[in-house]
Amino acid sequence: SDPAAASEAAAVRGAFRSGVTRPASWRRRQLTALLAMLRDGREALLEGMRIDMNRDHATGYFMELNMVEHAAQHALDHLDEWMALKTVATNLVNVPGSSALKSEPFGAVLIVGCWNYPLLLALDPLVGAIAAGNAVVLKVPSDMVPRTSKALVELCKRYLDTKAIKCLGGDVKMNQALLKERWDKIFYTGSTNVGRIVYQAAAEHLTPVTLEMGGKSPTIVGKTSNIDVAAKRIAWGRFTNAGQTCVSPDHVFVHQDVADKFIQKIKQAVTEFYGEDARSSEFYCRMINQRHTTRVGAMVTEHKDKVCHGGAVDVSGRYIEPTVIMFGSDWKEFEASKAMAEEIFGPVLPVAVYSDYRSVIDFVNKHEKPLSLYVFSNDKNETDAFLHETSSGAYGVNEVVTYLSNHELPFGGVGHSGVGRYHGRFSFDCFSHLKAVMQRPDATIFDIPARYPPYSSWKVALLGAVQAVRPAWHFKLLRYATLGLVFLVLWGNRKQVATWLHWLIDLTLG
């Protein structure tokens, strides 16, 4: 075991066991401090992302820092509600008694962030972990985004409780060392291949995990859609951050009746966003490193003859031009291409043409379940078919990516695209164990003999009556009948009831 990893893990375990993270006051202080950290460290963090990824400050702020600010404020606004003991119904066999749900923190948790959105994907889950009362080791990808990670580590040390919240840099060796430690919860964001490694490491200690991975998010453009809007939104979702966004449209199926117009409009949108030469645009990012540039560049060069927009690749400059590859109706070549063999995670958009959306549903269902699926259409039959007949982490109609900003919606994959979910209340639940709580009186009168052996015929009959399976309307009818009976009793003794009420008022008011 790596001494540094073991030391930090032991420190947060000790902090949690001390009880410091459990009170609402500590949670509020840390969330408030996080907001102050984002405010005061804004320029340093945005400049770090500009140097590491050529990301402009506006994109960096609104797609990362601002979303974390909203998450932290949302948690502060709802913390008392989330922490409160929630009373639930008690079944007949446990009457008299009370039942409740108690959210309690897991304990010492590990959060492993990802380089493509190094602040959002580290700090958004941190908000949930803090709100739920955990102690945290936060691992940031300093080998991939060194300037951003260095700024974040320094700011966390300055603003947050360093005994209970540790923000660490380091490369893959640090990740491996941390995964050897025993945690009460692991939250990982990254590739599916590494997700498998995390899952295996967690299984060693039966540690619960949340895995936010990715996959290929299909996008369908129907003939009834507004092509101008569809093209702009898809181009924005695909080429923002140079396509290095897990929920971006990965590939497009466009109806044959609108295919030519869609290609024309998406070319137009790319030019509007980034100019004639995206390389010179301050709003166009770079690939994270040369290895990924080479990988994605191979998808472009494989089908150079089908590139209808872009196609330029500069490995040394980590640059790939926003590229559209048009496969037309040749689904066989489309499916066999390198671009369809894995999540692209770069600024390349393969497009195929369809005539019947049922064939697209069949295509989607025979591949791994995507993180997101988007349909641009105003045909309710078409949108409903994709909603009900496919499975994905999220589903969007006439929109891409922006559902992430709604705290009332969960974010997470299914199958190969992820395990678990977070955002808003879901983040709090993600880092909480929901404990069942029951309280009953211990008076002898309520200790029914029928529960204990030996089970004579009368006990079996009584238990059978109490535990008989009944539809919910039976219980509603019983409740109303009981209330009616109480009303009749009170009405029949209204003079006596009035006397009792008069006595009670006199007693209360003196």
Side-chain angles (χ1 to χ4, degrees):
S1 180
D2 182 274
S7 172
E8 300 292 27
V12 295
R13 277 196 294 270
F16 179 74
R17 288 170 183 164
S18 74
V20 67
T21 67
R22 288 182 178 269
S25 57
W26 181 87
R27 307 181 197 195
R28 288 189 177 282
R29 282 197 303 274
Q30 299 312 305
L31 292 170
T32 303
L34 179 59
L35 283 170
M37 181 185 90
L38 294 174
R39 181 188 65 239
D40 299 344
R42 176 173 170 175
E43 288 305 312
L45 293 169
L46 293 177
E47 185 62 14
M49 288 189 289
R50 188 194 66 78
I51 294 170
D52 289 334
M53 306 177 75
N54 196 50
R55 183 183 290 166
D56 65 282
H57 283 206
T59 300
Y61 177 69
F62 288 110
M63 294 199 72
E64 297 219 43
L65 271 69
N66 183 248
M67 290 184 69
V68 179
E69 288 172 336
H70 278 287
Q73 187 60 55
H74 186 75
L76 282 167
D77 292 341
H78 296 276
L79 189 60
D80 290 339
E81 170 196 342
W82 295 348
M83 290 181 64
L85 197 68
K86 181 184 177 184
T87 301
V88 295
T90 299
N91 63 330
L92 190 58
V93 78
N94 286 304
V95 172
S98 64
S99 303
L101 301 173
K102 165 69 174 173
S103 293
E104 64 179 17
F106 277 115
V109 306
L110 171 65
I111 297 173
V112 181
C114 194
W115 54 263
N116 60 321
Y117 287 90
L119 303 178
L120 177 65
L121 299 180
L123 298 180
D124 204 340
L126 179 64
V127 167
I130 291 172
N134 296 278
V136 186
V137 167
L138 174 62
K139 171 62 178 66
V140 295
S142 59
D143 55 329
M144 303 288 270
V145 281
R147 287 294 293 265
T148 309
S149 296
K150 182 172 185 267
L152 181 57
V153 169
E154 291 175 352
L155 286 165
C156 285
K157 287 180 180 177
R158 194 185 314 162
Y159 284 84
L160 303 179
D161 181 348
T162 55
K163 292 180 180 179
I165 303 171
K166 306 280 187 179
C167 184
L168 307 178
D171 57 14
V172 66
K173 291 182 179 178
M174 176 58 81
N175 285 5
Q176 293 168 345
L178 288 169
L179 287 173
K180 290 178 181 177
E181 298 299 319
R182 181 166 184 169
W183 303 96
D184 298 305
K185 168 85 180 191
I186 297 175
F187 187 106
Y188 164 79
T189 303
S191 71
T192 301
N193 287 335
V194 178
R196 289 190 181 96
I197 296 171
V198 174
Y199 219 165
Q200 290 169 354
E204 183 71 22
H205 301 292
L206 299 179
T207 301
V209 298
T210 296
L211 305 176
E212 297 294 344
M213 295 180 289
K216 300 184 71 62
S217 296
T219 303
I220 295 86
V221 179
K223 63 181 178 180
T224 63
S225 63
N226 183 330
I227 298 299
D228 288 350
V229 172
K232 278 189 174 182
R233 291 180 179 178
I234 291 169
W236 171 80
R238 172 73 282 188
F239 300 119
T240 291
N241 204 36
Q244 299 164 115
T245 304
C246 61
V247 293
S248 70
D250 181 90
H251 51 282
V252 170
F253 296 93
V254 59
H255 192 277
Q256 60 186 10
D257 291 357
V258 293
D260 291 342
K261 183 178 180 181
F262 174 75
I263 293 297
Q264 174 196 344
K265 291 296 182 180
I266 205 162
K267 289 180 183 180
Q268 183 179 321
V270 171
T271 303
E272 285 179 6
F273 297 165
Y274 308 115
E276 293 293 338
D277 180 13
R279 189 195 307 262
S280 61
S281 171
E282 66 173 300
F283 303 109
Y284 190 67
C285 290
R286 295 298 181 266
M287 297 296 290
I288 191 63
N289 56 33
Q290 292 185 7
R291 178 171 65 86
H292 280 289
T293 309
T294 301
R295 178 185 64 82
V296 177
M299 300 176 187
V300 177
T301 55
E302 179 189 28
H303 294 289
K304 201 75 173 175
D305 59 319
K306 297 184 183 302
V307 171
C308 61
H309 185 84
V313 178
D314 174 10
V315 174
S316 62
R318 298 183 291 129
Y319 171 77
I320 298 178
E321 186 179 7
T323 299
V324 180
I325 305 175
M326 183 56 164
F327 287 89
S329 57
D330 190 347
W331 282 33
K332 186 175 181 180
E333 189 172 11
F334 171 73
E335 188 172 10
S337 67
K338 291 180 179 178
M340 292 302 294
E342 60 178 322
E343 182 180 7
I344 296 169
F345 226 61
V348 175
L349 185 67
V351 179
V353 173
Y354 75 92
S355 58
D356 180 1
Y357 67 78
R358 308 295 321 180
S359 60
V360 182
I361 289 176
D362 291 340
F363 184 95
V364 170
N365 286 337
K366 76 175 186 178
H367 292 83
E368 297 295 348
K369 296 175 181 178
L371 184 54
S372 301
L373 189 149
Y374 306 115
V375 179
F376 285 82
S377 174
N378 290 300
D379 179 345
K380 193 172 187 304
N381 290 330
E382 186 173 18
T383 57
D384 282 354
F386 279 98
L387 174 62
H388 297 300
E389 298 177 33
T390 65
S391 178
S392 57
Y395 176 71
V397 177
N398 297 326
E399 187 55 276
V400 300
V401 180
T402 58
Y403 73 90
L404 296 178
S405 64
N406 185 353
H407 297 300
E408 301 302 321
L409 292 175
F411 172 56
V414 56
H416 277 230
S417 60
V419 176
R421 59 191 181 274
Y422 73 120
H423 283 190
R425 172 64 193 254
F426 302 101
S427 289
F428 179 86
D429 293 341
C430 173
F431 289 97
S432 300
H433 165 64
L434 198 59
K435 183 193 291 184
V437 180
M438 177 172 283
Q439 298 184 53
R440 297 197 66 207
D442 63 355
T444 304
I445 191 173
F446 298 124
D447 196 31
I448 307 301
R451 70 183 289 180
Y452 304 114
Y455 294 108
S456 60
S457 58
W458 76 266
K459 289 184 178 181
V460 171
L462 179 59
L463 288 173
V466 171
Q467 284 295 86
V469 178
R470 303 176 179 87
W473 68 267
H474 279 206
F475 292 99
K476 288 183 180 178
L477 184 62
L478 179 62
R479 188 182 306 125
Y480 294 141
T482 303
L483 290 173
L485 182 61
V486 170
F487 174 78
L488 289 174
V489 170
L490 292 175
W491 181 256
N493 297 275
R494 56 189 178 277
K495 290 184 179 180
Q496 185 65 42
V497 171
T499 302
W500 290 341
L501 288 174
H502 189 272
W503 173 80
L504 184 61
I505 292 169
D506 284 347
L507 183 66
T508 304
L509 300 179

